Amino acid sequence: MSETQRLFLALWPSEEQQQAWSELAGEWLPEGAGRLIKPANLHMTLLFLGDISVDQCASLKSKIDSYRGRAFELVMDRFGHWRRPQVAWLGASETPQELQDLVHALQLIARSCDIQVDTRPYRAHLTLARKVRKAPARIRFEPINWFVGDFVLVKSELTSEGALYEVVSKWSLNDSRGE
Ligand code: 2AM
């Protein structure tokens, strides 16, 4: 069998953002309510690719190289919980058009590389904690503005100590501010 890698495309916050958002998650979730994601692992998935071959990965990267998406401001104003996957997350009540376009373009590129991707509608969320069985209390907080100027390809390794993520490629988005 040819070698494969488990990969996904994501928005990756800075270390400062990861630290700050992880601290918020610690404040919002009661002790023992779930398993907080390590700050360095916090991210927002754009597209989960699964196990793909070296050739598929090379073709995906080269096609993404020729794509130029637009930078955007993401306003994260929701702290939510999904009962079935048992995750608590940070999300946005409005998904910017640029983000929708980016996800759509990446889906098309992945499909053109014979990578089967999720067909469910995209729901932008940044998982803060897993194994959260009970919906946490409603939290009021100042919306978090995240300027998104790039996106990344991440390798995921499942280990006995949880997922290990490694950013393997990065692409810039066109920043039209000040034009
Ligand atoms: P989640 O945070 O909502 O669980 C790496 O696994 C990333 O890809 C996670 O952020 C995860 O989202 C997302 N993902 C989407 N579909 C997935 C799948 N079928 N299996 C594992 N992770 C998936």
Side-chain angles (χ1 to χ4, degrees), residues 6 8 43 45 48 82 87 118 120 125 127 130 156 165:
R6 187 179 169 86
F8 63 96
H43 65 273
T45 301
F48 181 73
W82 288 327
V87 298
D118 211 335
R120 291 173 301 181
H125 69 280
T127 297
R130 297 191 189 280
S156 163
Y165 297 142

Side-chain angles (χ1 to χ4, degrees), residues 47-134:
L47 189 64
F48 181 73
L49 303 164
D51 290 314
I52 68 169
S53 71
V54 174
D55 286 351
Q56 279 173 315
C57 180
S59 140
L60 177 95
K61 284 208 244 180
S62 113
K63 286 183 182 177
I64 299 179
D65 285 344
S66 334
Y67 167 77
R68 203 67 201 264
R70 290 168 296 148
F72 55 92
E73 185 94 23
L74 185 64
V75 181
M76 295 196 291
D77 55 0
R78 291 188 60 196
F79 171 58
H81 174 253
W82 288 327
R83 205 156 45 93
R84 224 156 63 96
Q86 300 185 336
V87 298
W89 48 265
L90 197 52
S93 50
E94 294 213 3
T95 308
Q97 190 59 46
E98 293 90 338
L99 174 56
Q100 292 181 38
D101 292 348
L102 174 62
V103 170
H104 184 63
L106 296 175
Q107 286 172 342
L108 291 180
I109 291 176
R111 287 199 192 106
S112 75
C113 301
D114 281 332
I115 300 169
Q116 284 183 8
V117 293
D118 211 335
T119 50
R120 291 173 301 181
Y122 179 65
R123 292 205 279 179
H125 69 280
L126 186 144
T127 297
L128 294 171
R130 297 191 189 280
K131 300 205 159 75
V132 182
R133 294 201 172 81
K134 241 180 80 187

Side-chain angles (χ1 to χ4, degrees), residues 20-21 24 27-28 74-79 90-91 139-146:
W21 301 346
L24 287 179
E27 286 169 27
W28 293 344
L74 185 64
V75 181
M76 295 196 291
D77 55 0
R78 291 188 60 196
F79 171 58
L90 197 52
I139 306 283
R140 280 184 192 283
F141 63 101
E142 280 295 308
I144 298 166
N145 290 331
W146 180 9

